[in-house]
Amino acid sequence: MAQKVVLLDLMASPFGAKVRIGLAEKCVEYDRLEQDLSNKSPLLLEMNPINQKIPVLIHNGRPICESSIILEYIDEVWTENSQFFPSDPYERAHVRFWIDYIGQNIYDKASAFAFKTTSGEMQEAAKKELVKCYKVLEEELGDKAYFGGESFDAIDITLIPFYAWFYSLEKMGLKMREECPKIVEWAERCMKRETVSMSLLSPERTYEVVLYLRNKLLSGN
Ligand code: GS8
């Protein structure tokens, strides 16, 4: 059967980037529909009525929501290329744990530091929290090339989208290379994969988005 794959997406979103990388790794062809979240499309509201968020993968007319669930779905449906998740149940649970850890921590803490806190004191506290999480992840990475060992796996796909923010974090006073050198080396290694580099918004464009969101917060709109 011909596969019709559509992604409701936002180029600046790390959750969207996670799905874009997954699809690129599996060489899946798809139509990407950029969404305006300030004026949600009828299609987005129809496909994700509960959360009303991107990304949404629409496969042959049926929606799959939530980036981590989409990533597992992609891995299960397109099995030709290398797998993102290990087949062993224990190892699979381990991968899911770290995906959950990233989902629970990195976006909230990075956005708190970059554009969700107003006072310098709050921003400094958010910076410490973010660095603490990255250090935990650095410990888990250890001396491995990827979180998946020799192979680029679901944890790598989940975390690497946040690399697009490193330039913004640096501009705002967080020196990631000094704080977490192994994470920066790992990210640079991941960025050598075309599937990753083509899926991320440039650091400069990301910084523009961060500044836009920060100004929006400060002006109260
Ligand atoms: C998060 C998606 C998300 O926050 C996932 O897919 O992993 N847990 C979800 N999407 C945001 C854009 S990225 O900041 C979104 O769609 N927001 C719209 C809204 O909150 O109304």
Side-chain angles (χ1 to χ4, degrees), residues 28-200:
V28 178
E29 286 185 20
Y30 65 100
D31 293 326
R32 204 184 72 80
L33 301 182
E34 182 81 357
Q35 300 295 298
D36 174 0
L37 296 180
S38 61
N39 179 22
K40 292 180 182 169
S41 69
L43 184 61
L44 175 59
L45 298 178
E46 183 193 337
M47 293 291 143
N48 191 356
I50 311 291
N51 293 338
Q52 306 186 350
K53 290 185 179 187
I54 62 92
V56 180
L57 188 78
I58 310 173
H59 186 200
N60 295 329
R62 297 192 301 179
I64 305 104
C65 304
E66 285 293 315
S67 61
S68 300
I69 295 170
I70 300 173
L71 199 61
E72 288 207 39
Y73 180 84
I74 293 171
D75 207 30
E76 283 168 8
V77 171
W78 289 279
T79 51
E80 301 82 16
N81 298 39
S82 65
Q83 295 298 105
F84 308 148
F85 288 85
S87 50
D88 175 77
Y90 184 79
E91 287 175 21
R92 210 173 162 87
H94 178 85
V95 168
R96 285 194 179 120
F97 172 85
W98 286 107
I99 289 176
D100 187 60
Y101 180 85
I102 296 165
Q104 303 247 11
N105 289 284
I106 299 295
Y107 180 79
D108 283 355
K109 292 186 170 131
S111 51
F113 171 64
F115 56 80
K116 279 195 182 153
T117 44
T118 40
S119 79
E121 215 170 84
M122 279 163 74
Q123 203 186 15
E124 200 49 38
K127 178 173 151 181
K128 282 205 181 104
E129 285 288 307
L130 179 61
V131 169
K132 204 161 104 188
C133 290
Y134 267 116
K135 284 192 188 292
V136 169
L137 286 160
E138 193 166 62
E139 185 75 27
E140 168 60 17
L141 177 66
D143 291 323
K144 302 192 290 283
Y146 298 107
F147 283 88
E150 284 310 303
S151 61
F152 179 76
D153 82 355
I155 306 173
D156 302 290
I157 298 176
T158 303
L159 187 62
I160 193 60
F162 295 96
Y163 178 65
W165 294 34
F166 282 17
Y167 174 77
S168 305
L169 301 180
E170 180 93 28
K171 286 261 184 200
M172 296 175 144
L174 199 178
K175 296 194 178 353
M176 278 301 284
R177 197 176 288 278
E178 280 175 23
E179 296 283 0
C180 300
K182 280 189 184 166
I183 286 287
V184 174
E185 279 170 29
W186 158 85
E188 289 171 346
R189 193 172 306 125
C190 294
M191 284 297 280
K192 292 200 179 115
R193 301 173 83 86
E194 206 187 335
T195 54
V196 175
S197 58
M198 71 185 223
S199 301
L200 300 196

